[in-house]
Amino acid sequence: MRYRFPVALLLLSLAAPVFPAAAASDQPTIYTIAPGDTLWGLSKRFLNDPHYWPNLWAANGENGIGNPHFIYPGQKIRVYSDRIEIEQPKPQQAAPAAEAPPAAPAGTEVAPPPEEPVQAFSVTGSEGFLVEDGQPPAGAIIATAQNRKIVGTDDIVYTDLGRGNGANVGDRYSIYKKMGAVSHPVTNEIVGERVIPLGELQLSEVEEKVSKAIITKSYQEISPGSYLLPVQDKKVTVPLRAADRDLVGYIVESQTGNKVIAVRDLVFLDLGRAQGVQPGNLLYIVRDVTLDQRYTKSRVDKFPVEVVGALVVLKTGLNTSTAVIVKSVDTIYRGDRVEMKKSR
């Protein structure tokens, strides 16, 4: 199935002549990127496959297109029969210090502007996730100093983590709050419990079955019963990964619980490692097009789907995953369908 992918989802492309695909040989065709070119458009023009562009992005991350929406006129690409490669610019020799650089003659190609910062997809541990059935927490806050109902930074709490389950003085844990069960938008089955980050704590005294800790960070109010997991110390950058299969799933919930979702919002999917999803996979957010029968007498079984956005998977559970919305051309809702497409 092919999408009619809205050009505005990536960049507004200017009109450009159509070039033939490279001949099936080892000698590539060299093409210079023109104003208005997009990765989506180049993939469609040369390979007749607009969905190749995530693979192009993933394969050329170090060659000047770390940000998929920033390719500039003057860059050169090598077009083969089955792939596109970005040519790395040749290093320029510095002009002698004593001589002023000569003025560029009229009509000379202008050097491309400095590349804007590379877009990175990062996992910091503060995204939240879905706790799937049977997935136990590392521990929990079971009491607070002076039996306070709400605590924050620098307050003392007590946990059910002890030497018996491997806890040590100095261990750090992220604090989460369970926000309730999440049901699937189609089957109504429970897919997990949504949890959100509240802060961090560090163990200061450890006994056999319990420990004392201090709250080192608080993003929201923390109370007894909060869920604990080991802290993820470093921000992890997730590179875009080409799809190796076709998959269909749904946005089952957003991090905030809102029904309406926008770019940079975090969402949870009903696809995980068991289905073959990997961090860095790009999925399209799609909707079926409904025909108004008042304007035609012909029977139309199915239209091409409407693509309304795209998301990138940040981390995966067994049957669920956390993703970030990276593009939208229409309002995105909880319950929208997502599709991952292997490049043909």
Side-chain angles (χ1 to χ4, degrees):
M1 177 178 64
R2 296 292 184 193
Y3 296 137
R4 291 180 179 174
F5 199 101
V7 176
L9 186 58
L10 301 177
L11 286 175
L12 293 175
S13 295
L14 302 178
V18 176
F19 291 83
S25 69
D26 293 333
Q27 295 300 318
T29 295
I30 306 299
Y31 173 73
T32 302
I33 292 172
D37 279 337
T38 66
L39 298 186
W40 177 80
L42 294 173
S43 299
K44 185 177 190 304
R45 181 187 309 172
F46 292 114
L47 302 181
N48 197 28
D49 183 1
H51 305 109
Y52 176 83
W53 76 265
N55 297 340
L56 176 61
W57 178 12
N60 289 278
E62 297 180 356
N63 296 342
I65 55 169
N67 184 332
H69 314 300
F70 186 74
I71 54 177
Y72 52 77
Q75 277 184 304
K76 296 184 185 299
I77 61 174
R78 294 189 295 270
V79 182
Y80 295 85
S81 60
D82 60 349
R83 68 189 187 280
I84 297 174
E85 296 179 355
I86 303 294
E87 271 197 357
Q88 290 183 300
K90 296 180 181 179
Q92 296 181 350
Q93 294 183 348
E99 298 180 7
T108 299
E109 187 176 24
V110 178
E115 185 175 351
E116 64 182 29
V118 171
Q119 179 175 343
F121 303 111
S122 301
V123 178
T124 63
S126 63
E127 295 79 16
F129 55 95
L130 295 184
V131 179
E132 300 179 35
D133 184 35
Q135 179 183 349
I141 294 175
I142 56 176
T144 63
Q146 302 176 346
N147 291 321
R148 295 172 59 185
K149 299 295 184 183
I150 296 173
V151 293
T153 303
D154 295 332
D155 285 334
I156 300 298
V157 297
Y158 301 90
T159 82
D160 59 359
L161 297 167
R163 288 192 298 270
N165 48 17
N168 295 290
V169 172
D171 288 350
R172 296 164 54 224
Y173 291 84
S174 295
I175 308 167
Y176 292 90
K177 179 181 180 181
K178 293 184 178 181
M179 300 300 292
V182 174
S183 60
H184 195 280
V186 176
T187 66
N188 290 322
E189 296 179 355
I190 301 299
V191 295
E193 285 190 280
R194 178 169 64 96
V195 297
I196 60 172
L198 301 179
E200 295 180 11
L201 60 75
Q202 185 170 22
L203 304 185
S204 57
E205 299 179 29
V206 178
E207 302 294 337
E208 183 62 25
K209 294 184 179 180
V210 297
S211 57
K212 181 179 180 180
I214 183 170
I215 305 293
T216 55
K217 293 181 184 179
S218 60
Y219 317 129
Q220 298 187 37
E221 296 175 342
I222 299 170
S223 58
S226 297
Y227 182 89
L228 300 178
L229 283 174
V231 163
Q232 180 176 296
D233 279 319
K234 296 180 180 179
K235 182 168 70 173
V236 178
T237 299
V238 179
L240 193 74
R241 185 189 299 269
D244 62 0
R245 66 194 68 200
D246 292 345
L247 284 175
V248 177
Y250 291 87
I251 297 174
V252 298
E253 184 58 283
S254 65
Q255 183 197 45
T256 60
N258 294 336
K259 293 182 178 180
V260 178
I261 306 163
V263 171
R264 291 188 293 277
D265 282 348
L266 294 165
V267 297
F268 307 118
L269 311 179
D270 62 346
L271 300 170
R273 292 190 299 272
Q275 292 75 38
V277 171
Q278 302 178 66
N281 281 157
L282 182 143
L283 290 84
Y284 300 99
I285 305 165
V286 303
R287 289 194 197 115
D288 291 327
V289 177
T290 303
L291 174 66
D292 189 337
Q293 290 290 161
R294 293 178 299 172
Y295 303 108
T296 181
K297 295 181 180 180
S298 303
R299 177 179 175 80
V300 179
D301 293 328
K302 191 174 183 180
F303 277 102
V305 295
E306 177 187 10
V307 178
V308 298
L311 56 80
V312 172
V313 174
L314 297 180
K315 57 184 178 180
T316 57
L318 182 60
N319 293 296
T320 61
S321 55
T322 302
V324 60
I325 305 294
V326 296
K327 271 292 177 181
S328 69
V329 293
D330 199 352
T331 304
I332 298 171
Y333 298 97
R334 185 177 64 195
D336 273 339
R337 191 166 79 249
V338 296
E339 295 187 357
M340 186 167 77
K341 287 294 178 181
K342 179 181 179 181
S343 180
R344 298 296 190 263

